[in-house]
């Protein structure tokens, strides 16, 4: 199942629908402005919270985390000392790790678990420059979590390259 994500909509305070490949509303992004920190809340089409994306307040390296039901589900960080390309990792609360690799800057990358691709993030399906797809390849995968990971990587890369004015 493919989901359409627009890059510039992830400013804090912005709200937006993420649609599936058939143009149906799948997830709603509520760009909350909180008193202590900013967050993006991802809701399913019925308005149920499925993930909250936040920046780490104190971290030696840039990191973002994804919460569900008040518990940290995933921490997303750039992998150290990777010389060829940017490689990110998503550390799950269970201790397992997802690899995020490919052409991160141009939005052509994969999210993998133990060498198996769970999702492909790609901009090549769109003529719009500000959109990319999250193609969830396994039916049993947590689509909301994979979309949230892609959003974290997108925001971290934009910040690193000076494009994130809203952080």
């Amino acid at each position: 199942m493919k989901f359409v994500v627009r890059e510039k909509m992830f400013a804090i305070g912005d709200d937006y629908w993420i649609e599936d490949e058939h143009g149906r509303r799948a997830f709603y992004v509520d760009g909350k402005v909180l008193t202590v920190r900013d967050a993006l809340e991802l809701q399913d089409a019925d308005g149920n919270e499925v993930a909250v994306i936040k920046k780490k307040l104190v971290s030696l390296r840039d990191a973002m985390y994804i919460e569900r039901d008040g518990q940290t589900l995933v921490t997303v960080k750039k992998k150290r000392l990777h010389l060829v390309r940017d490689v990110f990792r998503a550390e799950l609360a269970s201790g397992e790790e997802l690899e995020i690799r490919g052409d991160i800057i141009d939005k052509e990358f994969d999210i993998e678990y133990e060498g198996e691709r769970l999702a492909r993030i790609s901009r090549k399906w769109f003529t719009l420059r500000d959109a990319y797809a999250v193609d969830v390849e396994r039916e049993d995968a947590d689509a909301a979590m994979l979309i949230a990971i892609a959003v974290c990587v997108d925001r971290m890369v934009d910040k690193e390259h000076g494009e994130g004015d809203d952080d």
Side-chain angles (χ1 to χ4, degrees):
M1 169 81 52
K2 287 184 185 131
F3 299 91
V4 180
V5 180
R6 301 205 195 287
E7 294 171 303
K8 299 305 175 200
M9 66 97 177
F10 286 111
I12 301 304
D14 286 355
D15 298 339
Y16 182 79
W17 281 98
I18 294 174
E19 298 174 343
D20 68 15
E21 60 192 313
H22 305 292
R24 293 183 301 241
R25 293 176 168 182
F27 296 101
Y28 181 71
V29 177
D30 185 358
K32 300 219 176 263
V33 179
L34 304 176
T35 54
V36 177
R37 62 180 138 211
D38 297 330
L40 296 170
E41 184 178 292
L42 188 63
Q43 301 170 358
D44 66 16
D46 296 323
N48 301 307
E49 179 186 293
V50 293
V52 176
I53 301 168
K54 297 179 181 179
K55 292 183 287 189
K56 280 263 191 209
L57 289 179
V58 179
S59 179
L60 295 176
R61 291 185 294 150
D62 200 17
M64 295 186 78
Y65 62 102
I66 302 161
E67 290 182 352
R68 184 174 287 156
D69 300 324
Q71 301 292 320
T72 299
L73 184 64
V74 180
T75 302
V76 179
K77 300 178 189 176
K78 186 172 182 179
K79 220 172 178 179
R80 281 192 247 179
L81 301 174
H82 213 275
L83 303 176
V84 180
R85 291 181 175 234
D86 287 340
V87 176
F88 286 76
R89 70 175 174 212
E91 298 169 358
L92 306 180
S94 64
E96 297 169 300
E97 186 175 291
L98 304 179
E99 290 274 332
I100 300 124
R101 65 174 96 210
D103 188 347
I104 307 285
I105 294 171
D106 286 330
K107 310 289 184 294
E108 298 292 333
F109 61 91
D110 297 328
I111 301 173
E112 301 175 349
Y113 174 68
E114 294 184 347
E116 179 184 355
R117 184 167 60 202
L118 301 177
R120 164 148 292 184
I121 288 63
S122 180
R123 154 182 289 157
K124 70 180 174 185
W125 294 305
F126 298 99
T127 55
L128 296 173
R129 190 72 184 141
D130 66 342
Y132 59 90
V134 177
D135 186 3
V136 178
E137 296 192 357
R138 290 185 48 150
E139 284 189 30
D140 62 342
D142 184 338
M145 181 186 71
L146 294 170
I147 290 168
I149 290 170
V151 168
C152 289
V153 170
D154 187 34
R155 288 179 63 88
M156 291 168 73
V157 167
D158 282 352
K159 183 179 177 193
E160 186 175 297
H161 292 277
E163 298 172 23
D165 300 326
D166 58 316
D167 291 323

